[in-house]
């Protein structure tokens, strides 16, 4: 396979030559050869588990290849740890946060290279001053003295980005860096990527978002099953071609079609005056009918994530929640699940998974009523359920005994969603259900959501992806500063209408 552009060896900053990597019996990469050129943006794309993040971690010094070599500026290098990569001018922005929650924003930005005014004496004033400069450059509204653990996930991801850019890297790797960002913050990051490209930085961007590829990238390298299957010139290719190379097939109708009409009088989920004042959520009222898909939109800090936590029992909330006329207690995830609400959190690693436990154990977390009898665990039954679920939800793992932390983000998300769908609950609350998920997996999740709605489940999708809300939802609520400020139904559900309400805090004027 040839590159879409003639390769000038003097322009190649990083070259991977025959890279291979296995994790146990699972092949992550096989004979990968790829060049990254100065002043260009290369998008690495492919389905979850195709090997994209493994490439990022190898270049970033987090893991070592089993075979092959890494050539930087014409010299073969061994990047045995992140410090070795940093010495080569490589900065990695990972999709997994690597910040120290108990340290301040400024301390995290300059971690490992604190400004000193004398040997072993940190200049705290200079550190805060330089942190302000970096934050302003990145367009981040954060106090450099704030404790990182107290900040929203989106802001933490922005701090991760600021830390990488503050090193003035010659090679910048973004591994799903926009997955936790609002559209506004993601737009700002893409502006920074363009500025880095113009400055001559070599940028490697791992993303599933087609709009990001076509806006920012020069070349798209597509991986499938650990191999490079295509290198495409973004200026001359199409979205359909990239998707076809990723999944090896045509996806057809991406979001699926509504096969039924929900009766608004047949209410399954009722929410009355639900609030969490300490977290900025003011009293919210709404109902969701049987078979209806309700979307919730809003910027970071709008209250949409807190609403999800309140419905899922992750926080104690005031107000009342009903499922099929029965009250559901607040602040107890187990009682909320027993009450008929399945909750998929936006931060799967922190809230949805036990990363050091197996695939089987994580699947079985929600199945205690099925697999326990009189206090005894029925292991054979559990094993059968897990085997069936792994197949049904297409979880790509070498073994159900493998630690779930070793799986790709998409396969982890399939476990969280799949274990709840197995219970055929009356209500599902999905917070950022497709964050960091490839187009093939997204299409599968959308299909499963359609199937659940068709059988009568009430579904709430809380999402920063406006195209997702427009493609999937019968109705969309928009939140601003803790309140629901607008409701859109049917043809009123457009990205422009939703975005206007998100930003201004009021509904746009709609034509009758």
């Amino acid at each position: 396979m040839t590159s879409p552009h003639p390769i000038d060896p003097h322009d190649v900053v990083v070259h991977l030559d025959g890279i291979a990597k296995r994790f146990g019996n699972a092949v992550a990469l096989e004979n990968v050869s790829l060049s990254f050129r100065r002043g260009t943006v290369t998008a690495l794309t492919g389905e979850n588990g195709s090997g994209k993040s493994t490439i990022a971690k190898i270049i970033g010094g987090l893991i070592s290849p089993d075979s092959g070599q890494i050539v930087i500026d014409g010299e073969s290098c061994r990047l045995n740890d992140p410090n070795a990569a940093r010495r080569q001018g490589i900065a990695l922005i990972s999709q997994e946060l690597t910040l120290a929650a108990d340290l301040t924003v400024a301390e995290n930005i300059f971690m490992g290279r604190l400004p000193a005014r004398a040997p072993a004496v940190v200049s705290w004033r200079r550190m805060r001053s330089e942190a302000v400069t970096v934050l302003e450059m990145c367009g981040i509204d954060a106090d450099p003295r704030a404790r990182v653990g107290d900040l929203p996930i989106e802001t933490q991801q922005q701090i991760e980005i600021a830390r990488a850019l503050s090193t003035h890297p010659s090679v910048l790797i973004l591994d799903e860096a926009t997955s936790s960002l609002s559209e506004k913050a993601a737009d700002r990051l893409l502006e920074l990527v363009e500025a880095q490209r113009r400055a001559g930085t070599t940028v490697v961007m791992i993303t599933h978002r087609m709009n990001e590829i076509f806006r920012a990238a020069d070349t798209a390298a597509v991986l499938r099953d650990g191999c490079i299957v295509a290198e495409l010139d973004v200026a001359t290719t199409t979205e359909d071609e990239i998707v076809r190379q990723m999944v090896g097939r045509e996806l057809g109708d991406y979001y699926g079609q509504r096969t039924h009409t929900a009766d608004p009088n047949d209410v399954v989920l009722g929410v009355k005056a639900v609030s969490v004042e300490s977290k900025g959520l003011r009293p919210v009222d709404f109902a969701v009918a049987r078979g209806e898909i309700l979307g919730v939109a809003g910027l970071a800090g709008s209250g949409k994530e807190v609403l999800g936590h309140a419905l899922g029992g992750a926080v104690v909330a005031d107000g009342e929640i009903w499922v099929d006329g029965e009250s559901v207690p607040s602040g107890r995830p187990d009682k909320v699940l027993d009450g008929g609400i399945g909750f998929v959190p936006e931060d799967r690693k922190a809230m949805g998974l036990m990363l050091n436990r197996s695939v089987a154990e994580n699947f079985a977390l929600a199945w205690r009523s099925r697999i326990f009898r009189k206090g005894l665990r029925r292991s054979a039954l559990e094993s059968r359920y897990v085997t069936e679920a792994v197949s049904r939800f297409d979880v790509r793992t070498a073994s159900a005994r493998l630690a779930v932390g070793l799986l790709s983000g998409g396969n982890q998300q399939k476990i969280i969603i799949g274990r709840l769908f197995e219970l055929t609950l009356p209500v599902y609350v999905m917070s950022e259900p497709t964050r960091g998920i490839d187009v093939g997996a997204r299409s599968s999740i959308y299909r499963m959501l359609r199937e659940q709605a068709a059988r009568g489940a009430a579904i709430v999708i809380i999402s920063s992806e406006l195209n997702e809300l427009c493609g999937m939802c019968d109705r969309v609520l928009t939140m601003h500063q803790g309140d629901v400020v607008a409701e859109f139904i049917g043809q009123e559900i457009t990205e422009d209408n939703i975005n206007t309400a998100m930003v201004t805090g009021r509904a746009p004027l709609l034509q009758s």
Side-chain angles (χ1 to χ4, degrees), residues 320-457:
E320 299 174 277
I321 301 172
W322 296 284
V323 173
D324 283 329
E326 297 292 329
S327 179
V328 177
S330 168
R332 286 284 302 275
D334 56 337
K335 297 297 183 183
V336 167
L337 183 62
D338 290 342
I341 299 177
F343 176 52
V344 174
E346 70 280 354
D347 188 347
R348 56 179 168 262
K349 292 186 181 296
M351 301 179 65
L353 296 167
M354 299 185 296
L355 296 176
N356 293 326
R357 299 295 185 90
S358 69
V359 169
E361 289 172 301
N362 276 275
F363 256 122
L365 278 175
W367 300 345
R368 63 188 186 284
S369 62
R370 290 186 170 190
I371 62 178
F372 281 89
R373 176 173 292 176
K374 296 180 180 180
L376 297 177
R377 186 177 199 145
R378 295 183 287 176
S379 298
L381 184 63
E382 176 185 345
S383 179
R384 179 164 63 84
Y385 283 158
V386 168
T387 300
E388 291 172 353
V390 165
S391 174
R392 184 176 299 114
F393 299 107
D394 191 26
V395 177
R396 299 181 185 182
T397 176
S399 167
R401 296 188 296 274
L402 192 70
V404 79
L406 298 177
L407 269 59
S408 68
N411 285 304
Q412 291 174 353
Q413 191 75 343
K414 288 177 185 177
I415 291 171
I416 295 173
I417 294 173
R419 71 191 180 199
L420 295 175
F421 282 179
E422 283 289 283
L423 300 177
T424 57
L425 298 167
V427 177
Y428 292 101
V429 177
M430 323 284 285
S431 186
E432 308 291 354
T434 61
R435 174 176 285 172
I437 305 298
D438 67 74
V439 291
R442 281 178 183 234
S443 182
S444 296
I445 289 172
Y446 295 148
R447 174 183 53 77
M448 290 188 287
L449 286 169
R450 291 278 186 213
E451 290 171 353
Q452 293 296 324
R455 70 159 182 82

Side-chain angles (χ1 to χ4, degrees), residues 97-284:
L97 293 174
T98 60
L99 303 175
D102 290 328
L103 298 183
T104 67
V105 169
E107 288 168 333
N108 271 280
I109 289 175
F110 292 102
M111 187 185 298
R113 49 192 181 90
L114 300 176
R117 54 187 172 85
V121 180
V122 175
S123 176
W124 300 105
R125 180 177 298 179
R126 179 181 157 201
M127 179 182 69
R128 284 191 290 270
S129 174
E130 292 184 5
V132 169
T133 301
V134 172
L135 293 169
E136 289 178 349
M137 175 192 74
C138 296
I140 301 169
D141 182 18
D143 184 342
R145 297 166 296 184
R147 178 181 174 273
V148 160
D150 295 331
L151 300 175
I153 291 294
E154 174 176 295
T155 306
Q156 292 186 37
Q157 183 67 58
Q158 290 177 301
I159 302 305
E160 191 96 43
I161 293 164
R163 180 170 67 184
L165 293 178
S166 71
T167 65
H168 307 291
S170 58
V171 179
L172 177 64
I173 307 169
L174 303 98
D175 187 0
E176 299 287 359
T178 62
S179 62
S180 301
L181 301 182
S182 65
E183 290 202 2
K184 180 180 179 181
D187 186 70
R188 175 56 182 157
L189 176 57
L190 293 180
E191 291 175 358
L192 293 170
V193 167
E194 174 59 20
Q196 291 290 315
R197 187 186 67 78
R198 289 197 304 268
T201 304
T202 300
V203 181
V204 182
M205 186 174 70
I206 296 173
T207 182
H208 297 120
R209 297 178 175 179
M210 292 295 154
N211 64 317
E212 294 178 2
I213 294 174
F214 283 93
R215 173 175 168 179
D218 300 292
T219 302
V222 184
L223 286 104
R224 193 190 316 149
D225 299 328
C227 299
I228 300 287
V229 295
E231 289 182 66
L232 304 171
D233 183 353
V234 171
T236 60
T237 194
T238 65
E239 181 175 327
D240 287 345
E241 175 61 15
I242 294 177
V243 171
R244 189 182 68 80
Q245 293 287 355
M246 286 172 60
V247 303
R249 64 187 188 280
E250 301 290 343
L251 282 182
D253 190 354
Y254 190 44
Y255 294 106
Q257 296 291 328
R258 296 173 179 84
T259 57
H260 65 286
T261 301
D263 179 357
N265 297 315
D266 189 8
V267 172
V268 177
L269 173 66
V271 175
K272 182 177 181 181
V274 167
S275 66
V276 186
E277 296 288 351
S278 63
K279 294 184 178 292
L281 178 65
R282 296 171 182 168
V284 171

Side-chain angles (χ1 to χ4, degrees), residues 39-61:
T40 64
V41 179
T42 301
L44 289 182
T45 191
E47 291 191 279
N48 290 107
S50 61
K52 306 179 303 295
S53 292
T54 304
I55 288 178
K57 290 175 182 176
I58 286 174
I59 300 174

